Amino acid sequence: MYQEQIINKLIAEKIITFSPQEPYQYASGMLSPIYTDLRLTVSYPDLRDWIATDLAALIKSKYPAVTVIGGVATAGIPHAAWVAAKLNLPLIYVRPKPKDHGKGKQIEGRFNKEDNIVLIDDLITTGGSVINAVDATKKEGGNVIGVSSIFTYYLKDTKNNFAQAGVDFSPLLSYPELLQKEKELNYISSEEYEALKTWHEDPWKWGKKFQ
């Protein structure tokens, strides 16, 4: 419902930026023409409400049996909370690892084995951290029926990792969609579009030309 407004705001506020000529370097060493800082979305009431509204609608459509919303720490927690409020559902959240004190919990909040849980993160690159959250939830007896996120690069590794883990993934926005919308709205030139598209097809090969 708010896809165009969300994309416009992400670009206007430089939450997502493109630099195909001077790429960014990720922690993995990968060079990329796109940098995404979705943690900034919490500072914009209109943007975060659009995101929560669209995520809630997406989850209700893709996972109608959902009974609990889960946030992946830390950036997924506020968005999961807003979605849970819109759907009037219980909220839990999952830490990267168990606490080293108290009861040693990794998951906060209550659920039972009959619940159907959808986990939310802000950005999914390869899916590693959210799949770990899925595994942690299952270990505690939770039934995770799906994962969603605000944005994903949707690289080949992402698709493969979710497929291998047997986890259903439905993002709100993906890199190919964002790129197409950027071109339609004249945020990027045809030349930049082709460079950005080439990166998505083979990120490591694309980055070699800058090394």
Side-chain angles (χ1 to χ4, degrees), residues 139-152:
K139 187 177 179 181
E140 294 296 322
N143 178 36
V144 178
I145 61 172
V147 166
S148 191
S149 67
I150 299 172
F151 183 70
T152 179

Side-chain angles (χ1 to χ4, degrees), residues 115-200:
D115 279 316
N116 295 316
I117 303 167
V118 173
L119 295 182
I120 294 175
D121 208 347
D122 66 333
L123 171 67
I124 291 179
T125 306
T126 61
S129 60
V130 77
I131 289 172
N132 287 339
V134 171
D135 291 340
T137 307
K138 288 181 177 180
K139 187 177 179 181
E140 294 296 322
N143 178 36
V144 178
I145 61 172
V147 166
S148 191
S149 67
I150 299 172
F151 183 70
T152 179
Y153 297 117
Y154 238 156
L155 302 173
K156 290 179 182 178
D157 287 348
T158 314
K159 297 177 182 179
N160 291 339
N161 289 341
F162 276 101
Q164 289 175 9
V167 178
D168 193 75
F169 176 41
S170 297
L172 184 61
L173 293 172
S174 69
Y175 183 87
E177 292 170 337
L178 177 70
L179 199 57
Q180 185 61 42
K181 186 61 68 173
E182 288 266 308
K183 185 181 179 183
E184 290 174 5
L185 297 173
N186 295 315
Y187 280 119
I188 55 175
S189 66
S190 295
E191 183 178 310
E192 289 172 324
Y193 173 82
E194 290 304 323
L196 293 163
K197 185 178 177 183
T198 301
W199 171 81
H200 185 258

Side-chain angles (χ1 to χ4, degrees), residues 10-197:
L10 292 174
I11 302 304
E13 299 299 339
K14 300 187 185 307
I15 295 170
I16 292 181
T17 55
F18 290 103
S19 181
Q21 304 307 321
E22 297 181 20
Y24 307 99
Q25 185 168 25
Y26 293 161
S28 63
M30 179 188 289
L31 293 176
S32 170
I34 179 174
Y35 185 75
T36 307
D37 189 0
L38 291 173
R39 294 173 188 271
L40 294 173
T41 57
V42 301
S43 297
Y44 300 90
D46 54 353
L47 177 58
R48 71 191 190 205
D49 188 62
W50 294 335
I51 289 170
T53 298
D54 279 12
L55 273 175
L58 173 67
I59 289 169
K60 201 63 179 175
S61 172
K62 294 283 187 178
Y63 311 108
V66 61
T67 59
V68 172
I69 298 296
V72 179
T74 56
I77 295 174
H79 295 287
W82 291 316
V83 170
K86 286 186 177 293
L87 295 176
N88 194 30
L89 291 176
L91 173 74
I92 62 171
Y93 68 86
V94 188
R95 292 187 176 89
K97 59 183 180 179
K99 290 167 63 176
D100 58 5
H101 58 281
K103 293 184 177 180
K105 287 185 175 182
Q106 186 169 357
I107 302 173
E108 298 292 350
R110 288 180 171 169
F111 61 91
N112 58 53
K113 292 181 180 180
E114 286 72 43
D115 279 316
N116 295 316
I117 303 167
V118 173
L119 295 182
I120 294 175
D121 208 347
D122 66 333
L123 171 67
I124 291 179
T125 306
T126 61
S129 60
V130 77
I131 289 172
N132 287 339
V134 171
D135 291 340
T137 307
K138 288 181 177 180
K139 187 177 179 181
E140 294 296 322
N143 178 36
V144 178
I145 61 172
V147 166
S148 191
S149 67
I150 299 172
F151 183 70
T152 179
Y153 297 117
Y154 238 156
L155 302 173
K156 290 179 182 178
D157 287 348
T158 314
K159 297 177 182 179
N160 291 339
N161 289 341
F162 276 101
Q164 289 175 9
V167 178
D168 193 75
F169 176 41
S170 297
L172 184 61
L173 293 172
S174 69
Y175 183 87
E177 292 170 337
L178 177 70
L179 199 57
Q180 185 61 42
K181 186 61 68 173
E182 288 266 308
K183 185 181 179 183
E184 290 174 5
L185 297 173
N186 295 315
Y187 280 119
I188 55 175
S189 66
S190 295
E191 183 178 310
E192 289 172 324
Y193 173 82
E194 290 304 323
L196 293 163
K197 185 178 177 183

